[in-house]
Structure formats: structure tokens, C-alpha cells
Amino acid sequence: MDTKVKKIGVLTSGGDAPGMNAAIRAVTRAAHFKGMEVAGVRRGYAGLIAGDIVDLSVRDVSNILQEGGTALFSARSKEFCTEEGMQKAIANCKKFGIEGLVVIGGDGSYRGAGDLSTRGVPCIGLPGTIDNDISSTDYTIGFDTCINCVVDMVDRIRDTMRSHERCSVVEVMGRNAGYIALHAGIATGACFVMVPEVKSTVVDVIKKIEEGRAIGKTNFIVLVAEGVGHAEELSKYIQDTTGVVTRATILGHVQRGGSPTARDRVLASQFGSYAVELLAAGKSNRVVGIRNDQLVDYDIQEALAMTKEFPLDLYRMCDIISI
Ligand code: ATP
């Protein structure tokens, strides 16, 4: 054994994302490699409060690498945000011998991990969300799988739009961020991408469609981030204004599921293994991320105070080449 830490816990919290299982597997196996035991906390912080905790051996995490969702279940817990709830969670960490915790989730989960860390339970946060809206990392676990799913769906929609020379407005997830819409927009050749980070109007969309039509474009994909919304209204407006038959599709939860891509599996495995290194080295109150292809870790409060620049250059490029 090359660490004083005897046992760590792992949990998934907030919205699930493909690749979380790869992270759970990596945490479990990297910890056992270092001689630590692993406790799987089910249903996020709610499970920590309820004592819904199971031992994880290296074999217990077999065959989850390729599965979407999270084998540990995920939940949101209001009780955990109260001091009483937090103390129950801490008491269970003591009871189950958990000396460090890997929390896979978004900003809310990071806040919880920060609170636990300051109360004596060392925590390491891993970015797990399809939205890619976590400032302390270039990429989050689940984003790549999500955009590949959107690309697949939009390609299918385009087949029928081409046959009927129609327009399709497709609303994608992302909450207040436009990363899914932007990346999927580039990869599907959407003629217009509406994101919360860039001000644009229906007039801009119509202009782009009319410009395309003038040079022979016959079918159109408009991607709208959910933070902009109103896909149905936009669709009707496009049809009424241009005369092009237009359909709205809200992709919904299909974007959150599915087998993780190789990229998400690799990223999640790296993050999970790195988190174990940090806990084994006695670190606490850190989050893991990737910056310019390098694994990095930051103080949780510092990470939460960071902002993420929306890649306007990519957005402009998308607009230029989608004519
Ligand atoms: P997602 O990206 O899916 O929203 P998230 O981790 O941001 O993921 P939240 O619902 O915001 O999801 O947070 C998950 C859980 O973390 C909450 O249910 C709550 O238990 C805990 N949490 C959130 N905010 C705080 C906070 N300020 N202090 C302590 N715990 C928190």
C-alpha cells in the first residue's frame, strides 16, 4: 500500500451523462491498484445521507464501461443542502469508513463537494454533464457522446428534408449554454445555429435561408439551443415568411443516453484515475479537468468562480461555411 487512505467513496450526482460509468470503473480500479477499498454511493448525495452504500470490487465494475447512464444512479438532494443533511452525510462517511470521495457531476455537485471538504471529508470533483458548461475544463464527460448522438439524429432529419426540399428546426439540449448546438451545428452543416451566447434574431435566420435559396440551396437545418428555445414558433415563422415547408423537432432526452464514445470513455478513465491519485496524495477540495489536452486540477471554489469563453471564432466559422 502506498497511501494512508484506506477507503474512498464514489458517487454520481445531478444529471447523468454517458461516460459516468467509465469514470466509476476507473476510480474503482485505480483505487484498488493503490490498495484502497472502494464504496459506491448510490443516488448521489441522497444516498450518502441514507447510507445507500455498497462495496465495489474490481469485478463489480466489469461491463459498465460501454454503458450509458450511471450504474450508481443519480439524484438531486435538497436535504443535502441543509446543515442537518450534510451532517448525516458526514456521519455516514465515518460509519462506512469513507476517507475521501469522488463526486462526478456538475457545478451543483461541486458545491456540495466543497462543503463536504471544508467539513473534513476530502472530495475530488469530476465534470460529468452533456452540456459542456463547466468552466474549469475544456471538455466534460458525456459531451462528445451527446454531440455524436445529435449529429446522427440531424443526419436522419436531413435525409427527409432533402427529399422534400424542406427546412427543419431542431432544438437541442445545453441548458444556458450553446456548446452542443455549436458543435453539432458545425458537424451537420446547419445553415444557422442559435445559441444563448450570441445575440441573433429570426430576421437573421430568414436572411440566411434566403441567401442560401438564391444560390440553389433546397433544404435547411436550423439548430436551436434549448437556452434560446421557441423551436415551434421559429419553425412557423420560417414557413410563413419564406414559404419553405418547415418542421420543428425537439430532440429531448435521447441526447442524454447511449453508449459513450471512445473519446468520452478515455476522458472519463483519465479523470477517474487522476482523482484517485489526488486523494491518495492527501489532496482535498479539488476538481479535475482537461486543458489543452493536459489533465489539470483546481481548488473547487476557484473552479466555481471561473468563466468559460464561448468560442466565437468557431461560431463565425460555422456561419461562413454553412452557406
Ligand atoms: P447538472 O449539470 O446535471 O445540473 P449538477 O451537479 O450541477 O449537475 P445540481 O442539481 O445543481 O446538479 O446539484 C446536484 C446536487 O448537489 C444537488 O441535488 C444538491 O444535493 C447538491 N448541491 C447543489 N448545490 C449545492 C450547494 N450550494 N451546497 C451544497 N450542495 C449542493
Side-chain angles (χ1 to χ4, degrees):
M1 193 187 299
D2 56 1
T3 171
K4 284 189 201 136
V5 181
K6 290 193 233 29
K7 186 172 186 177
I8 63 166
V10 56
L11 62 81
T12 48
S13 171
D16 68 335
M20 281 182 163
N21 281 326
I24 294 166
R25 170 180 176 271
V27 168
T28 303
R29 293 190 171 171
H32 278 285
F33 178 76
K34 286 196 170 289
M36 294 188 252
E37 286 178 56
V38 181
V41 181
R42 303 186 341 149
R43 300 181 178 84
Y45 293 126
L48 202 57
I49 291 172
D52 190 359
I53 297 167
V54 291
D55 284 335
L56 291 180
S57 70
V58 291
R59 288 274 74 74
D60 288 330
V61 291
S62 297
N63 282 315
I64 61 169
L65 176 67
Q66 72 279 18
E67 287 177 2
T70 161
L72 287 176
F73 303 98
S74 193
R76 301 187 199 269
S77 167
K78 283 203 177 111
E79 191 184 358
F80 183 73
C81 298
T82 66
E83 190 55 42
E84 205 187 337
M86 178 105 19
Q87 289 306 330
K88 279 191 206 165
I90 292 167
N92 272 330
C93 287
K94 291 208 178 92
K95 183 174 160 193
F96 286 85
I98 295 171
E99 296 170 330
L101 188 63
V102 179
V103 173
I104 310 164
D107 279 349
S109 305
Y110 282 5
R111 285 195 182 88
D115 289 350
L116 277 178
S117 297
T118 51
R119 286 164 179 76
V121 180
C123 287
I124 307 294
L126 301 188
T129 168
I130 59 165
D131 302 329
N132 206 33
D133 59 350
I134 297 182
S135 303
S136 50
T137 186
D138 291 344
Y139 293 104
T140 57
I141 298 166
F143 175 64
D144 189 62
T145 307
C146 173
I147 55 175
N148 277 287
C149 169
V150 173
V151 167
D152 185 35
M153 297 295 137
V154 174
D155 283 350
R156 286 161 192 260
I157 290 169
R158 186 191 276 272
D159 286 346
T160 171
M161 291 300 117
R162 264 175 54 210
S163 304
H164 290 273
E165 299 176 291
R166 287 177 178 169
C167 173
S168 203
V169 175
V170 183
E171 186 177 310
V172 300
M173 284 184 163
R175 281 191 304 196
N176 298 319
Y179 297 98
I180 296 172
L182 173 60
H183 286 253
I186 293 169
T188 57
C191 79
F192 203 96
V193 177
M194 293 185 100
V195 294
E197 294 89 345
V198 181
K199 215 170 150 38
S200 57
T201 66
V202 288
V203 177
D204 301 321
V205 180
I206 300 295
K207 187 166 169 270
K208 195 75 193 287
I209 291 174
E210 294 295 13
E211 279 170 8
R213 274 176 113 186
I215 55 167
K217 200 173 171 86
T218 60
N219 59 93
F220 308 87
I221 299 287
V222 177
L223 277 195
V224 183
E226 71 178 333
V228 175
H230 309 296
E232 295 276 1
E233 280 168 47
L234 177 62
S235 171
K236 190 171 178 319
Y237 185 83
I238 292 171
Q239 180 161 309
D240 292 348
T241 314
T242 64
V244 177
V245 176
T246 305
R247 297 278 183 265
T249 305
I250 297 171
L251 286 183
H253 279 81
V254 68
Q255 297 161 89
R256 282 252 290 261
S259 180
T261 57
R263 188 163 178 188
D264 270 332
R265 296 182 200 192
V266 172
L267 189 69
S269 300
Q270 287 180 288
F271 283 167
S273 304
Y274 191 73
V276 169
E277 293 287 338
L278 292 175
L279 283 176
K283 299 272 174 64
S284 172
N285 200 48
R286 311 291 293 173
V287 292
V288 176
I290 190 152
R291 285 261 189 251
N292 305 318
D293 285 333
Q294 293 293 314
L295 291 173
V296 289
D297 60 285
Y298 301 105
D299 172 271
I300 291 184
Q301 284 69 34
E302 255 175 50
L304 285 169
M306 290 176 184
T307 51
K308 197 165 186 168
E309 289 280 310
F310 191 72
L312 291 175
D313 48 345
L314 267 190
Y315 186 84
R316 270 184 226 109
M317 182 207 79
C318 177
D319 186 46
I320 290 166
I321 65 175
S322 65
I323 188 66

